[in-house]
Amino acid sequence: MLRDLSVVIPALNAAAELPATLASVAAAPEVLVVDGDSKDDTAAVAGAHGARVMSAPRGRGRQLAAGAGAAAGSWLLFLHADTRLSPGWPGAAAAHMAEASARAGWFCLRLDDPHPAARRIERLADLRARWLGLPYGDQGLLIPRGLYDAVGGHPPVPLMEDVMLARRLGRRRLVGLEAEALTSAARYRRDGWWARPARNLGCLALYFLGVSPERLERLYR
């Protein structure tokens, strides 16, 4: 089943993280790295590790949409550049692809830090995805192309593209997969184990109150 799969990874100045991420998805027949005008060796590193490299205007929504448009597979796996999938992901993905032609799947979030607060964030992320139908991009998303196209794909926005796509899909068309997405905890260590989630929640609340993704990006950055 994986022969129908294309992995799409948006990247920006991600040369340090990409080797581990690309190694984790080596079982996929096609891997596309969509570079948003990086200032480091992102494109060269991706190419050296066997990925197909393309460029797109900076912004995850635009990069993801460009990668989806260029991908050959009938299934798409969207993954952040600093996220590695657990060794069992090919089996979990193949099972989902065989059984769920009209649903998208997300992975259980794990952070690469032993801090107790990391476990709390992981639990809350999985509860948010499972009960609210709002998996974030750092949990990955495995989706059939037909469904992706039917809901309009990723919107060309700089922030909240994952939330907007999840809302278009709806909770009933999202399912958790039996594999993990190990994501960098660097931003939590940098910004604070309480402050960073609070900022994320604040951005989500402002989005639901009608603040545009463009304005949210300015606040977020």
Side-chain angles (χ1 to χ4, degrees), residues 19-198:
T21 298
L22 294 173
S24 78
V25 294
E30 181 181 49
V31 179
L32 289 84
V33 171
V34 188
D35 184 35
D37 192 26
S38 294
K39 304 306 180 186
D40 65 1
D41 294 330
T42 289
V45 168
H49 285 79
R52 177 182 165 196
V53 183
M54 58 180 293
S55 60
R58 178 177 175 175
R60 269 205 186 119
R62 292 183 285 269
Q63 290 171 248
L64 288 164
S74 59
W75 280 81
L76 304 169
L77 171 55
F78 299 106
L79 197 65
H80 283 185
D82 63 352
T83 298
R84 293 99 70 193
L85 296 184
S86 60
W89 81 266
H96 178 73
M97 292 164 69
E99 298 172 3
S101 61
R103 290 196 294 175
W106 48 269
F107 297 92
C108 297
L109 179 69
R110 297 296 178 263
L111 296 173
D112 62 353
D113 194 292
H115 197 289
R119 309 289 83 78
R120 169 179 52 83
I121 292 169
E122 293 167 355
R123 289 192 296 270
L124 290 174
D126 289 344
L127 285 172
R128 183 194 65 239
R130 196 173 303 279
W131 295 109
L132 299 181
L134 288 176
Y136 284 177
D138 54 9
Q139 292 174 266
L141 189 72
L142 175 63
I143 184 170
R145 179 182 293 277
L147 177 58
Y148 180 79
D149 291 341
V151 299
H154 283 99
V157 294
L159 197 69
M160 291 293 166
E161 78 290 335
D162 46 2
V163 172
M164 294 173 76
L165 179 57
R167 293 189 73 194
R168 292 175 180 179
L169 289 167
R171 186 167 62 88
R172 293 183 179 180
R173 291 191 292 192
L174 286 160
V175 61
L177 304 179
E178 296 299 322
E180 299 177 348
L182 180 65
T183 296
S184 171
R187 58 193 182 277
Y188 294 101
R189 290 190 290 266
R190 181 190 66 226
D191 299 335
W193 290 102
W194 289 99
R196 180 71 185 213

Side-chain angles (χ1 to χ4, degrees), residues 192-212:
W193 290 102
W194 289 99
R196 180 71 185 213
R199 185 168 69 170
N200 292 346
L201 183 60
C203 286
L204 183 64
L206 289 171
Y207 167 73
F208 280 116
L209 288 172
V211 178
S212 72

